[in-house]
Amino acid sequence: MEIIQEKIDLLLKIGLGPLTDLLLAKYTCIALQRLGGNKARVKGSLSNDSIRLPMSHPIFHRLKQMIEFQTSSQEWFAVAEQAINTIYLLGEHPDILCGEIIKHKTASVFDLKIPKADDMDIDDIDGDNFLPDQEQFMAHPLQLSQLIFIVGHVAIKHIVHLEFIEDEWKRRKAEAESKDTEKSTKNPGDDELEQVAGTTEDEFGEAVAHIREKELLFGENSLLTVFGQLISNICANNKTYNHHTLQICATLALAKLMCVSSEFCENNLQLLFTILERSNEPTIRSNIIIALGDMTVCFNNIIDENINYLYKRLADSDNLVKKNTLMVLTHLILNGMIKVKGQLGEMAKCLEDEDQRISDLARLFFTELASKDNAVYNNLPDIISNLSSGDNPVNEESFKKIMKFLFDFIEKDKHTENVVEKLCQRFKNLDDRRQWRNIAYCLSLLPYKSERIIKKLLEGMSHYQDKLHENDVHKAFTDIITKARSIKPQKPEMKQLIDEYESKIEEFRQRSQE
């Protein structure tokens, strides 16, 4: 941090100088972000080494120039993203500067005849008359893409900024209460904070929530209000606005705006799901999946009702989409943000994915899940059904490998007894020989360490005795007998029970063959 402070002039001159090297500019922005401190932030507190700079600082002038730089390079998007990150991390009033940038870019894209874009009023770009026609769209598709990208990223960073203001307000309030003295120093954001002096924590939190929910995307004087309709329209009319980069940017921006307000999220959720289902562009599908993870964190009840749209992408034709889906679902499930309702079979299929990264991620997920309150045990019946008889069952070899991995997590005798009982009952009324083999194989994977477990097998024999003519089914039960006999030392009662069970297996095997 000290090195960066000492070399700011050099960074601005070389790193953000004549913009011929966009990659250098991107990493210069990342370096400048170190000025904001690099200590881990704790909720409700601010790192002591964090700083905020006045908007007149030369850094912001150069960052603004960089974002407004005219280029057709795809690298611009990564540069603009980091530049906006830097503005919001270091600026006292980042929203003011970003508002100016959006106005400038808007005037340029739509050829608005306004003497000075800084003075542009919200009415000058009224939402009802702002949707570009085909001619305007074809004139500057890449510039329009850049404008939309800026709007989406500013919106998401402003949410983080509001959280920063709320956390800082709480920190100072707690600090003031503990010291019972007035603050001796003035830090950035004091103006806003002083306006709510004496406000309770709940009131302040409600005010911030109201701004996020109702003002940013629906307020009469909010610049972002105009763009929600524009972006939705471009996404909904992808054949009219059929520019590749524009559609990627518009969908990403739409998803970011949906993380701002639950109302906006609900209004556009079906559109987003339609794009997710129909888009031929893997980047769009991948971006939507990641955004849906963020939306689930923000508005859990809205997304939880539609969570199957996420699970479907585990069968996506593109490996990156599939991997991102698996990572998002892993995060949401392990952190308790969504409840599993029988969809774990789709996650289990990833254990046998051809892509090693995906199968490794799936293994990590189930290993972590197994440490949480019997989660694997509780979902085994649904997983077995999904893999053997669902809409898209796996082949028998894959089924065996997946089950062998999952059954290793069943260790408690009580759980083993219950699984044996439930699996035996599954044989009842089943005509599908493949399912006979699958259930019998699953039974053979369990540890048979006690008399109670063998008794459960005997009690359930009426459900599978007529299936023993199937060779693989018979072999699974003889494997169980072999496994049970291998437990040492063995009590006489246990040996007698195993002998009885073996005798019955062979008796019913012969009967069913006849």
Side-chain angles (χ1 to χ4, degrees):
M1 177 178 170
E2 290 78 8
I3 296 172
I4 301 293
Q5 284 178 324
E6 292 171 7
K7 302 294 183 181
I8 286 180
D9 291 343
L10 186 64
L11 284 169
L12 296 182
K13 183 179 178 182
I14 305 298
L16 302 183
L19 292 177
T20 54
D21 189 341
L22 292 176
L23 191 62
L24 176 61
K26 176 182 126 177
Y27 285 106
T28 301
C29 289
I30 293 172
L32 287 170
Q33 289 166 27
R34 289 294 187 183
L35 291 170
N38 55 11
K39 290 183 182 176
R41 249 179 223 170
V42 179
K43 186 72 173 174
S45 69
L46 182 67
S47 302
N48 292 331
D49 61 348
S50 295
I51 64 168
R52 290 271 168 173
L53 301 172
M55 303 314 294
S56 58
H57 195 285
I59 282 180
F60 302 114
H61 176 67
R62 289 300 296 126
L63 290 172
K64 181 174 183 290
Q65 285 184 324
M66 196 165 63
I67 295 170
E68 294 175 349
F69 176 61
Q70 297 281 346
T71 178
S72 60
S73 172
Q74 289 293 317
E75 288 183 357
W76 175 90
F77 294 99
V79 177
E81 179 181 6
Q82 292 303 330
I84 292 168
N85 289 350
T86 308
I87 292 169
Y88 266 94
L89 187 65
L90 300 182
E92 286 184 357
H93 301 288
D95 51 317
I96 295 175
L97 178 58
C98 288
E100 290 175 7
I101 292 170
I102 290 172
K103 289 176 182 179
H104 273 254
K105 193 72 175 176
T106 302
S108 171
V109 171
F110 296 107
D111 298 323
L112 298 177
K113 307 302 181 186
I114 298 169
K116 190 178 179 184
D118 290 6
D119 299 329
M120 185 188 295
D121 189 82
I122 192 71
D123 294 332
D124 294 324
I125 48 175
D126 179 67
D128 294 334
N129 304 311
F130 191 48
L131 300 177
D133 58 30
Q134 181 71 9
E135 187 176 341
Q136 276 183 303
F137 158 73
M138 291 304 291
H140 309 292
L142 193 57
Q143 283 195 51
L144 179 58
S145 304
Q146 292 173 349
L147 169 63
I148 287 170
F149 180 85
I150 293 168
V151 168
H153 201 56
V154 166
I156 207 75
K157 295 309 293 186
H158 202 69
I159 295 307
V160 178
H161 185 61
L162 285 174
E163 291 174 354
F164 160 79
I165 291 174
E166 183 177 6
D167 288 349
E168 177 64 358
W169 181 86
K170 289 176 181 177
R171 186 188 72 82
R172 294 185 199 172
K173 192 170 189 294
E175 193 176 77
E177 287 172 353
S178 64
K179 293 180 180 179
D180 200 26
T181 58
E182 290 198 350
K183 294 182 283 291
S184 58
T185 59
K186 285 194 75 173
N187 289 320
D190 272 342
D191 294 340
E192 295 96 325
L193 295 171
E194 286 172 0
Q195 290 173 12
V196 291
T199 308
T200 67
E201 199 164 299
D202 286 345
E203 289 172 335
F204 192 90
E206 287 170 7
V208 170
H210 177 78
I211 291 170
R212 175 174 175 167
E213 181 64 38
K214 297 295 183 184
E215 293 297 323
L216 288 181
L217 297 180
F218 299 104
E220 290 183 6
N221 299 314
S222 173
L223 185 61
L224 295 179
T225 299
V226 174
F227 290 95
Q229 185 182 358
L230 167 69
I231 291 167
S232 296
N233 185 67
I234 292 172
C235 290
N237 296 282
N238 63 325
K239 290 183 179 178
T240 302
Y241 307 113
N242 60 355
H243 187 271
H244 179 259
T245 302
L246 178 63
Q247 282 301 320
I248 291 175
C249 291
T251 309
L252 181 60
L254 178 69
K256 287 180 176 178
L257 292 178
M258 288 170 70
C259 291
V260 173
S261 159
S262 62
E263 182 178 342
F264 189 86
C265 184
E266 285 189 277
N267 292 346
N268 292 279
L269 196 58
Q270 201 52 56
L271 170 60
L272 197 70
F273 286 142
T274 301
I275 297 169
L276 179 62
E277 296 272 288
R278 298 181 182 176
S279 175
N280 294 322
E281 175 53 57
T283 303
I284 288 178
R285 300 198 303 274
S286 193
N287 286 343
I288 290 175
I289 285 296
I290 293 168
L292 283 170
D294 293 334
M295 284 177 225
T296 305
V297 175
C298 297
F299 315 118
N300 182 272
N301 58 322
I302 298 175
I303 307 300
D304 197 35
E305 298 168 2
N306 300 278
I307 203 67
N308 277 337
Y309 283 100
L310 267 80
Y311 281 102
K312 282 182 185 178
R313 290 303 104 202
L314 289 171
D316 197 277
S317 58
D318 184 85
N319 278 348
L320 181 61
V321 177
K322 197 187 296 186
K323 180 173 78 73
N324 285 340
T325 303
L326 182 57
M327 291 177 71
V328 166
L329 286 168
T330 293
H331 172 71
L332 296 176
I333 293 170
L334 293 182
N335 287 285
M337 294 172 189
I338 57 172
K339 292 181 180 178
V340 178
K341 301 167 186 173
Q343 304 101 330
L344 275 188
E346 296 302 317
M347 302 282 278
K349 288 174 185 175
C350 294
L351 288 164
E352 280 295 295
D353 197 273
E354 293 177 357
D355 189 315
Q356 188 68 40
R357 296 172 305 167
I358 293 172
S359 60
D360 286 347
L361 280 169
R363 284 176 175 272
L364 183 62
F365 165 73
F366 279 104
T367 302
E368 289 294 317
L369 186 68
S371 66
K372 296 180 180 293
D373 293 337
N374 311 323
V376 172
Y377 160 75
N378 291 335
N379 287 280
L380 262 182
D382 288 327
I383 294 174
I384 293 170
S385 295
N386 183 290
L387 298 186
S388 60
S389 60
D391 295 334
N392 186 27
V394 298
N395 63 56
E396 288 195 61
E397 192 59 37
S398 293
F399 178 87
K400 287 181 178 181
K401 289 178 181 177
I402 293 169
M403 287 299 114
K404 191 171 190 318
F405 176 77
L406 294 179
F407 269 75
D408 279 346
F409 297 117
I410 307 300
E411 296 174 336
K412 297 178 182 176
D413 282 356
K414 184 62 179 173
H415 289 171
T416 301
E417 289 174 34
N418 290 339
V419 171
V420 168
E421 185 175 2
K422 288 176 182 177
L423 288 180
C424 287
Q425 289 172 355
R426 280 190 168 228
F427 279 107
K428 189 167 52 177
N429 302 324
L430 269 185
D431 296 324
D432 186 344
R433 290 182 177 234
R434 174 185 168 167
Q435 290 194 56
W436 297 354
R437 296 192 294 270
N438 287 347
I439 295 170
Y441 177 75
C442 289
L443 282 167
S444 74
L445 294 173
L446 291 162
Y448 291 87
K449 298 180 289 188
S450 73
E451 295 171 50
R452 291 173 60 89
I453 301 173
I454 302 295
K455 284 178 180 177
K456 289 291 182 185
L457 273 176
L458 277 163
E459 290 167 7
M461 188 170 277
S462 60
H463 301 310
Y464 60 84
Q465 63 188 34
D466 58 333
K467 278 85 174 175
L468 289 168
H469 63 278
E470 179 77 18
N471 288 336
D472 287 337
V473 174
H474 177 256
K475 181 181 182 304
F477 285 107
T478 56
D479 287 347
I480 289 172
I481 293 165
T482 302
K483 183 184 285 190
R485 289 198 190 283
S486 67
I487 303 296
K488 305 293 182 185
Q490 195 167 82
K491 297 178 182 177
E493 296 86 350
M494 180 73 163
K495 183 180 182 306
Q496 183 180 348
L497 203 58
I498 295 171
D499 289 342
E500 179 189 348
Y501 181 67
E502 182 176 30
S503 174
K504 285 183 177 292
I505 286 290
E506 295 310 316
E507 177 188 343
F508 284 115
R509 158 81 164 174
Q510 189 171 357
R511 281 192 196 177
S512 61
Q513 282 180 324
E514 291 171 357

